[in-house]
Amino acid sequence: MSAERPFILCVTGSLGMGKSTIARFFAEAGVPVHDSDVVVHALYEGEAVPVIETAFPGSTAAGKVDRVKLAATVLNDNAALARLEAIVHPLVKRAREKFLAEAQAAGESIVVLDIPLLYETAVEGICDAVVVVSAPGEVQRRRTLARPGMTEAKYAAILAKQMPDAQKRARADFIVDTSQDFDHARAQVRDILQAIAKMPRRHR
């Protein structure tokens, strides 16, 4: 008899909200975490490189995708972004399915899928529950503009492609507020893990 599928908790949130930190806190609590961004980084240094170079000539160098060049190419070009997503999303999906199969085989009861564009890419159907990581707009803006290479124009362009935070919060099962300190955030993570221990799976 095969092991029961783990409870799939998806973590998402807009740019600069602290999503990666919250995913790390779930990992610290012993929950296996699949990070879509980490998968994309690996693809940009491996499997996806020749395909992306073919689709976007000059966007790779020394066997790796030049993320700055690629971002500049697709940021304000919806057709180019759609071409890139058609390459990357199926590869990310395959990596995610492998992770879930391995977690099930290992008998894990809960896993976290860290998916930045969960709602934008309409994959929330795989989740048993969704955590939206959020903070007030001025906190989000300050954090994001402190990042290397970030500009007001780039920030605005990225935000324009993301579902507004208020809409994400309205669709969430849980909201983690990251505007306070790490202890406050970790306490919210613990509360969520206690709550989902009593929740039924949406999918079998």
Side-chain angles (χ1 to χ4, degrees), residues 5-27:
R5 183 182 67 69
F7 187 102
I8 299 174
L9 182 66
C10 295
V11 175
T12 195
S14 299
L15 181 72
M17 292 300 197
K19 176 189 58 60
S20 296
T21 299
I22 296 306
R24 189 174 80 241
F25 291 165
F26 278 107

Side-chain angles (χ1 to χ4, degrees), residues 31-172:
V31 180
V33 174
H34 182 265
D35 185 331
S36 296
D37 275 348
V38 170
V39 172
V40 171
H41 274 278
L43 290 169
Y44 280 8
E45 295 184 3
E47 188 178 357
V49 175
V51 193
I52 289 175
E53 176 60 32
T54 300
F56 304 97
S59 63
T60 71
K64 296 180 183 179
V65 171
D66 183 326
R67 295 174 72 94
V68 175
K69 278 187 185 173
L70 184 61
T73 302
V74 304
L75 190 58
N76 294 304
D77 184 337
N78 288 337
L81 182 62
R83 282 206 314 280
L84 177 62
E85 289 174 344
I87 294 166
V88 174
H89 287 176
L91 297 173
V92 173
K93 181 182 179 186
R94 193 169 75 196
R96 183 170 65 232
E97 287 172 347
K98 181 171 182 280
F99 166 83
L100 290 172
E102 288 171 352
Q104 180 168 340
E108 300 288 354
S109 57
I110 302 167
V111 295
V112 163
L113 301 181
D114 178 349
I115 307 178
L117 298 177
L118 178 77
Y119 291 122
E120 292 85 348
T121 54
V123 294
E124 69 268 28
I126 65 173
C127 313
D128 292 309
V130 175
V131 176
V132 166
V133 182
S134 183
E138 65 273 14
V139 174
Q140 177 189 25
R141 184 174 178 279
R142 186 179 70 243
R143 286 175 181 163
T144 306
L145 290 176
R147 295 179 177 182
M150 186 59 66
T151 64
E152 290 275 7
K154 192 173 176 184
Y155 175 55
I158 294 170
L159 271 194
K161 288 182 166 54
Q162 296 189 344
M163 180 183 289
D165 178 57
Q167 287 184 32
K168 290 180 180 176
R169 284 189 278 113
R171 293 168 70 167

Side-chain angles (χ1 to χ4, degrees), residues 9 26 131 174 176 187-197:
L9 182 66
F26 278 107
V131 176
F174 302 99
V176 172
Q188 293 174 83
V189 166
R190 284 195 300 272
D191 289 346
I192 290 168
L193 288 173
Q194 288 176 0
I196 65 174

